[in-house]
Amino acid sequence: NLSIAYGVGIMPFVLYNFKLNGNTSQYAIKEKDINFLRLYHNEIVPEMEMIFVDSNNIFKDNTPTDDKKIRVFLNPKDSSLKPINLQFKIVEFDNMGGSKFRIIGKIDIPELYRIDYKSYLGTSNEALREICKKLEIGFNSNINKSDDLMSWRNVGDKYNDFVTDVIKHSYVSDKSFMRGFIDYYYCLNFVD
């Protein structure tokens, strides 16, 4: 249908991955069935919340279990912006009564939620670059050099907590204030 193809991304396009008779399938949640959708950050991590009506009864027999995925695609109305195409790991699924459901998801970067024991010798800027390589995400920064050479030790934290800790303890100058977050394009942004 030409109107659907033209409208993909102008309105949210949401795909849910599930298994049916042992095969992996995808179900597009119709835009008219989405009551509420928001993208937001929980600390440094992008998350999504969606309330929708299951008009095809897909979720009645396919309740999401741990590690199910949902993909959100949004095409910007401004040509200077890039489209958002994010895959989320479903962390919460609630039946709100009848065929109305609520999903909460965290950005799907598997290594980000794993516990590790590793140390990084260098500045916070260098440590965060190395961590991004391990997580297989991009790195953006307006900080040329941080003045905090030391050993950054992850002693059993998940990487999302470790990255937050490195940012919190980073130092550039007495006039600087550092902030960090993972954006909607799979890049860690470390900014002053």
Side-chain angles (χ1 to χ4, degrees), residues 4-185:
I4 292 173
Y6 177 75
V8 166
I10 301 298
M11 297 303 287
F13 185 71
V14 181
L15 281 176
Y16 169 64
N17 297 326
F18 67 98
K19 289 203 185 254
L20 182 63
N21 301 326
N23 298 319
T24 300
S25 298
Q26 290 187 329
Y27 169 63
I29 298 171
K30 296 176 188 144
E31 162 266 312
K32 67 180 177 92
D33 290 338
I34 299 172
N35 299 134
F36 175 81
L37 173 67
R38 78 176 171 132
L39 300 177
Y40 61 98
H41 278 80
N42 185 354
E43 296 179 359
I44 68 163
V45 180
E47 294 190 2
M48 62 87 69
E49 178 182 15
M50 181 174 69
I51 298 171
F52 66 100
V53 174
D54 182 17
S55 60
N56 289 342
N57 293 319
I58 295 293
F59 291 89
K60 179 181 174 188
D61 298 322
N62 293 293
T63 302
T65 55
D66 188 34
D67 220 23
K68 290 288 184 186
K69 312 289 192 245
I70 193 160
R71 183 169 288 279
V72 175
F73 178 77
L74 292 167
N75 212 355
K77 293 177 183 173
D78 185 332
S79 63
S80 65
L81 299 174
K82 294 163 102 179
I84 293 173
N85 186 7
L86 288 169
Q87 180 163 287
F88 294 93
K89 179 174 118 171
I90 296 173
V91 294
E92 197 173 315
F93 181 81
D94 302 310
N95 186 331
M96 300 181 75
S99 60
K100 191 180 235 185
F101 296 94
R102 176 176 167 261
I103 288 176
I104 293 181
K106 291 178 174 253
I107 193 169
D108 186 31
I109 303 172
E111 290 294 320
L112 189 62
Y113 310 108
R114 292 211 171 99
I115 292 172
D116 201 2
Y117 297 85
K118 185 167 171 96
S119 86
Y120 299 86
L121 181 59
T123 65
S124 57
N125 200 352
E126 294 165 342
L128 291 170
R129 282 182 192 275
E130 287 302 310
I131 292 166
C132 287
K133 287 178 189 173
K134 176 165 181 57
L135 299 177
E136 298 179 356
I137 63 174
F139 180 79
N140 298 320
S141 182
N142 66 352
I143 299 168
N144 293 326
K145 185 176 184 296
S146 51
D147 190 19
D148 52 11
L149 179 65
M150 61 188 271
S151 181
W152 302 88
R153 294 189 179 116
N154 183 352
V155 290
D157 287 331
K158 293 179 182 176
Y159 269 99
N160 60 322
D161 295 327
F162 180 53
V163 167
T164 300
D165 192 55
V166 170
I167 293 166
K168 179 180 173 185
H169 291 96
S170 63
Y171 178 83
V172 173
S173 75
D174 289 343
K175 296 180 180 179
S176 295
F177 177 75
M178 278 63 67
R179 183 132 166 102
F181 61 95
I182 297 172
D183 64 21
Y184 297 132
Y185 306 103

